[in-house]
Amino acid sequence: MPHSKITGVGMYVPETVVTNNDLSKVMDTTDEWIVERTGIRERRFFKEGEDTVSSMGAKAAQQALERAGKKPEDVDFIVFATLSSDYNFPGSGVLLQRKLPFRQIGAVDVRAQCSGFIYALSIADQYIRTGTYKTILVVGSEVQSNVFEKSDRGRNMAVIFGDGAGAVVVEATDEPNKGILTTKLHSDGRFAEELYLEHPGSRRKERFNPDMIEKGELLPYMNGKLVFMNAVKYFPEVIREALADCNLKESDIDLLVPHQANARITVAIQKEFNLPDEKIVSNIDKYGNTTAASIPIALCEAWEQGRIKDGDLIAIAGFGSGFMWASALIRW
Ligand code: ACO
């Protein structure tokens, strides 16, 4: 039976670097506060007219395809994870489809926020295991710098998030004990409103009105402490679930690539698994939290730095809005 293997990784981040000091000029915050609470030193902001979620996804995809030795016409399906699609509809998958361009293949958007990339990877893995497709492009891309208000009112979230994209090519393989070993997906919708953006949604007669801007209702909401408490619980739990499924031990992990939510969450996971620095990836200091893009960007950088070798056991895990959380184990 075929299973799937990641054969190419790619990333793209916009050129504009925004430091904590830059933010402190437009809102009441400090570099010290942000670094201490989140580990973030700078992030990238997209350039209007140049970058979009789909165009950044296309650049990351192009790099991943080149590294996999594949052409756009080789791709059978696109799974695109984002919470910040170019349009409300259609999704960014089809905008990517026309960009490179690909054949008239299927293209689906996944809305699973910080766990989006793993949900997307899992969908790709299932299509390959059933023999439906042979080569799938999985993308995570976000533009978030324009959803947060760069003001005192928006500071609690504006300092955390950034823009960027990552992509992987997933291909069918018959090589035993290689590739994606397992994926684990979870959600608990009771917490949906603890990290969310209500408007413009479809619940009200008017999707939005000028009042909403005034009242700050077009801004996302996050219950930071509750997110933190649940993240440090579910990250380890879902990684252990994947290990148990494959009869592997915590000490078998060669590299852990967690969603870059917050450096303090990453440190908590590192301590929980007793991992030395070289076995965990943290690049949130450079990019902030890029939601669905954070895992493929971190994976791509780790690969470029030679931190991923043939045969290594790579664990990836995410937790975020929904709440949704997920993990995957990959034998490289
Ligand atoms: N700069 C300066 N002060 C700020 C800022 C800011 N950017 N934001 C909030 N504050 C103030 C608050 O107003 C508050 O002031 P007060 O004491 O006078 O009321 C004070 O700082 C403390 O605010 P808290 O919200 O209690 O800050 P906390 O210590 O909880 O840190 C944080 C906030 C970093 C978000 C923390 O809750 C956390 O780490 N949460 C985890 C959630 C997370 O990382 N989410 C990432 C995205 S979701 C995901 O990817 C899973």
Side-chain angles (χ1 to χ4, degrees):
M1 198 174 116
H3 55 281
S4 48
K5 186 178 163 182
I6 294 177
T7 56
V9 289
M11 64 176 273
Y12 171 84
V13 288
E15 262 176 43
T16 309
V17 176
V18 177
T19 64
N20 294 344
N21 283 330
D22 292 332
L23 292 180
S24 72
K25 289 177 191 139
V26 290
M27 62 184 81
D28 183 13
T29 192
T30 60
D31 177 54
E32 202 185 1
W33 192 98
I34 302 170
V35 172
E36 191 189 311
R37 299 286 211 295
T38 70
I40 299 164
R41 293 183 185 277
E42 57 188 44
R43 71 288 290 143
R44 304 297 177 99
F45 279 7
F46 86 116
K47 193 168 176 193
E48 193 185 38
E50 197 172 304
D51 300 312
T52 65
V53 160
S54 63
S55 78
M56 295 195 304
K59 286 179 180 159
Q62 224 151 5
Q63 190 176 58
L65 285 167
E66 275 161 27
R67 287 173 173 171
K70 292 279 159 187
K71 296 196 163 47
E73 54 265 34
D74 298 324
V75 175
D76 300 319
F77 193 61
I78 297 167
V79 195
F80 200 118
T82 186
L83 59 66
S84 50
S85 192
D86 295 22
Y87 304 134
N88 267 320
F89 70 84
S92 289
V94 296
L95 304 181
L96 174 63
Q97 183 277 331
R98 75 181 179 190
K99 272 204 166 76
L100 288 189
F102 294 95
R103 290 178 285 122
Q104 289 176 325
I105 53 174
V108 67
D109 277 37
V110 169
R111 293 179 55 162
Q113 301 68 250
C114 300
S115 307
F117 177 76
I118 304 180
Y119 268 74
L121 190 68
S122 163
I123 291 168
D125 183 42
Q126 300 310 313
Y127 274 123
I128 283 176
R129 283 177 192 270
T130 57
T132 309
Y133 299 124
K134 286 199 163 56
T135 305
I136 301 180
L137 187 63
V138 179
V139 181
S141 180
E142 306 283 6
V143 164
Q144 321 211 67
S145 53
N146 55 7
V147 75
F148 302 107
E149 200 170 81
K150 285 136 210 123
S151 67
D152 293 356
R153 172 169 88 164
R155 69 178 179 175
N156 63 326
M157 291 187 83
V159 300
I160 296 178
F161 294 87
D163 305 337
V168 300
V169 175
V170 180
E171 287 185 66
T173 178
D174 290 320
E175 280 178 87
N177 198 27
K178 269 279 163 97
I180 298 171
L181 306 180
T182 190
T183 55
K184 297 289 167 203
L185 312 179
H186 293 279
S187 72
D188 189 340
R190 286 176 303 167
F191 299 101
E193 288 82 14
E194 301 296 348
L195 176 51
Y196 85 133
L197 175 57
E198 185 179 2
H199 304 294
S202 57
R203 287 195 322 133
R204 291 208 200 157
K205 272 191 184 166
E206 283 178 319
R207 291 208 180 190
F208 58 90
N209 59 46
D211 262 8
M212 288 179 179
I213 301 176
E214 191 84 3
K215 289 183 189 153
E217 289 179 357
L218 293 179
L219 300 177
Y221 167 79
M222 174 172 74
N223 180 343
K225 288 194 170 66
L226 191 78
V227 170
F228 192 96
M229 277 162 47
N230 281 277
V232 298
K233 173 177 180 229
Y234 287 120
F235 264 111
E237 203 173 287
V238 75
I239 294 167
R240 290 196 172 110
E241 183 189 0
L243 287 167
D245 192 32
C246 300
N247 287 318
L248 289 163
K249 302 186 297 295
E250 289 171 23
S251 56
D252 292 326
I253 296 175
D254 293 302
L255 192 69
L256 176 57
V257 187
H259 159 54
Q260 305 289 303
N262 177 318
R264 290 192 311 170
I265 294 176
T266 302
V267 167
I269 308 167
Q270 180 175 3
K271 280 198 182 133
E272 177 78 23
F273 287 100
N274 205 13
L275 292 171
D277 289 351
E278 60 272 19
K279 287 198 173 188
I280 189 157
V281 177
S282 178
N283 63 1
I284 194 165
D285 56 324
K286 291 190 292 184
Y287 305 123
N289 180 330
T290 56
T291 306
S294 94
I295 293 175
I297 289 175
L299 195 65
C300 181
E301 279 201 340
W303 181 84
E304 286 171 356
Q305 292 159 1
R307 295 178 69 185
I308 300 180
K309 293 176 293 300
D310 199 38
D312 276 356
L313 182 70
I314 313 297
I316 62 176
F319 174 88
S321 165
F323 290 151
M324 300 172 90
W325 60 104
S327 69
L329 290 178
I330 303 154
R331 179 70 71 186
W332 208 264

